[in-house]
Amino acid sequence: MVVLTDPALDLISLIRSPKPPGCFSGVPVVDLSKPDAAARLVEACEEFGFFKVTNHGIPVELMRRLEAAAVEFFSLPTVEKEKSGPAKPLGYGNKRIGANGDMGWVEYLLLAITSKPSSYTPMDSLRGPSACSFRSALKEYLSAVRKLASQVLELMAEGLEIEPRDVISKLVTSEASDGIFRLNHYPPCPVLRGSNYSLTGFGEHTDPQVISVLRSNNSTGLQISLKDGSWVSVPPDEESFFINAGDSLQVLTNGRFRSVRHRVVANGMESRVSMIYFFGPPFAERIAPLPQLMGEGEKSLYKEFTWDEYKKAAYKSRLADNRLGLFEK
Ligand SMILES: C=C1C[C@]23C[C@@]1(O)CC[C@H]2[C@@]12CC[C@H](O)[C@@](C)(C(=O)O1)[C@H]2[C@@H]3C(=O)O
Ligand SMILES: O=C(O)CCC(=O)C(=O)O
Ligand SMILES: [Fe+2]
């Protein structure tokens, strides 16, 4: 009789077939140096809820420095990494995503971030010989990505022709804003080498926040769902950022922008490392359609809620759940 161990059972439950679809050439690219950036960004959010940003001004060396620190962290012995865990929801986690039974072929580090320099304390949980250079790369990276998010959200307001220009960006860049940073590592899976199988790295979901700014190494895996429900693979680009519109942005625009459903399918061959800054509003912030965007007589599609209420409900849900469904009128 063959007795399967818990790790073997976990792995079996994550195996998928067949291999992911070919790379999609239609991902919208917003070149921030071009005068049409604001318009392109609005089109992309309406059609996909997702776009790639180029000419963003963040040095690729900074991205690589943080990636190298992350790789070093993930190469530590499990006992060391587990000193930064278990993720509840912050800290180091392995395979278990969230508290409601979701699993993925991923290990990760989740940190709480605010723009107030004194509140970087969760980063104290970072372990390892190079914790200090890790922290300094992280601080520099977060501040650069925060500026990028502000720029993108201001362009969004410009493209939507609403004022003031910072009406969306100020929600996520105030001192009280609820930012989260996530490092994900999808390791190779030697058992699958040479097979036609892939693995659920991070199951399908939408992000609850306003926007999420993602950077990954050059490994494939990220997939987005199009309006017709089909899934396509996003070609990786380690020099660019990918931006997801989240549930809160869908509500702020009364459904005009799509909160994109996405997932990671790990190919089991190469190691994927991604870093994502999730931009959430302050906990007490009311999330409702921006009055500037409402046409005459237009009604909100959603019930009233604060970010605190939405986040609490989201964290009780499973990854694939339609979290906004609970708040639709
Ligand atoms: C299963 C879950 C993981 C998650 C919290 C949740 O209950 C539902 C939302 C998930 C998500 C998706 C986007 C981000 O990765 C995340 C940090 C977030 O804010 O919402 C995760 C949560 C998590 O991993 O804790
Ligand atoms: O790791 C990735 O590329 C995406 C992961 C993701 O969607 C998430 O952490 O919310
Ligand atoms: Fe996500």
Side-chain angles (χ1 to χ4, degrees):
M1 185 176 68
V2 179
V3 179
L4 290 173
T5 57
D6 275 359
L9 285 171
D10 286 351
L11 175 61
I12 289 169
S13 70
L14 298 175
I15 294 177
R16 329 165 35 101
S17 180
K19 285 255 193 241
C23 273
F24 178 58
S25 57
V27 171
V29 180
V30 177
D31 178 341
L32 291 182
S33 68
K34 293 264 171 69
D36 67 352
R40 295 285 82 80
L41 213 139
V42 168
E43 275 170 20
C45 287
E46 287 176 343
E47 183 60 30
F48 298 92
F50 183 82
F51 55 94
K52 172 166 129 171
V53 167
T54 60
N55 278 315
H56 45 71
I58 300 183
V60 71
E61 292 71 37
L62 176 58
M63 308 177 187
R64 293 211 179 109
R65 190 145 61 88
L66 183 57
E67 183 190 327
V71 167
E72 196 177 327
F73 172 82
F74 289 120
S75 335
L76 289 173
T78 304
V79 279
E80 275 305 308
K81 291 184 281 193
E82 282 177 345
K83 288 180 186 162
S84 301
K88 274 175 134 192
L90 302 176
Y92 173 76
N94 190 351
K95 294 194 191 70
R96 280 165 220 291
I97 301 173
N100 309 310
D102 288 288
M103 305 279 285
W105 187 253
V106 63
E107 56 173 342
Y108 60 88
L109 192 59
L110 261 175
L111 305 170
I113 307 297
T114 73
S115 54
K116 207 157 76 189
S118 61
S119 43
Y120 278 115
T121 43
M123 286 186 226
D124 295 345
S125 66
L126 296 176
R127 308 272 162 166
S130 316
C132 205
S133 55
F134 195 162
R135 256 184 236 124
S136 88
L138 188 52
K139 243 176 160 165
E140 211 180 308
Y141 180 87
L142 293 174
S143 132
V145 173
R146 200 174 302 120
K147 284 190 196 120
L148 172 64
S150 273
Q151 186 189 358
V152 163
L153 293 174
E154 287 193 9
L155 281 170
M156 217 172 255
E158 184 187 318
L160 286 167
E161 298 177 8
I162 54 172
E163 286 192 326
R165 201 179 158 75
D166 66 352
V167 61
I168 313 176
S169 66
K170 69 176 185 210
L171 293 175
V172 300
T173 50
S174 89
E175 285 198 349
S177 297
D178 176 30
I180 300 182
F181 185 66
R182 171 167 217 139
L183 289 168
N184 286 331
H185 174 223
Y186 304 87
C189 180
V191 179
L192 293 194
R193 193 149 294 144
S195 78
N196 193 32
Y197 294 99
S198 50
L199 291 161
T200 297
F202 206 108
E204 66 173 273
H205 65 284
T206 59
D207 293 347
Q209 292 81 1
V210 177
I211 54 166
S212 318
V213 180
L214 178 149
R215 187 269 174 187
S216 78
N217 66 354
N218 263 336
S219 311
T220 55
L222 182 63
Q223 299 184 358
I224 59 168
S225 168
L226 305 182
K227 269 185 176 164
D228 65 4
S230 62
W231 286 93
V232 294
S233 288
V234 175
D237 178 354
E238 60 168 8
E239 299 194 0
S240 301
F241 289 93
F242 291 95
I243 300 196
N244 292 339
D247 298 342
S248 301
L249 189 59
Q250 180 169 319
V251 176
L252 289 167
T253 58
N254 206 25
R256 182 161 161 191
F257 288 179
R258 290 181 71 210
S259 173
V260 64
R261 254 184 128 64
H262 57 286
R263 66 187 182 192
V264 174
V265 177
N267 63 27
M269 309 291 281
E270 34 179 20
S271 166
R272 175 177 167 87
V273 179
S274 59
M275 31 220 219
I276 310 130
Y277 193 154
F278 300 94
F279 287 89
F283 286 101
E285 189 71 41
R286 187 175 148 265
I287 312 294
L290 294 164
Q292 299 91 319
L293 277 179
M294 299 295 269
E296 218 180 285
E298 186 177 341
K299 297 246 163 43
S300 171
L301 299 174
Y302 307 94
K303 297 174 197 156
E304 289 249 328
F305 59 89
T306 61
W307 170 242
D308 188 38
E309 287 164 341
Y310 191 62
K311 190 168 178 180
K312 283 200 175 108
Y315 276 64
K316 283 187 193 136
S317 67
R318 295 287 300 260
L319 212 44
D321 288 349
N322 170 19
R323 281 174 276 285
L324 267 185
L326 279 178
F327 296 85
E328 275 160 13
K329 271 189 185 159

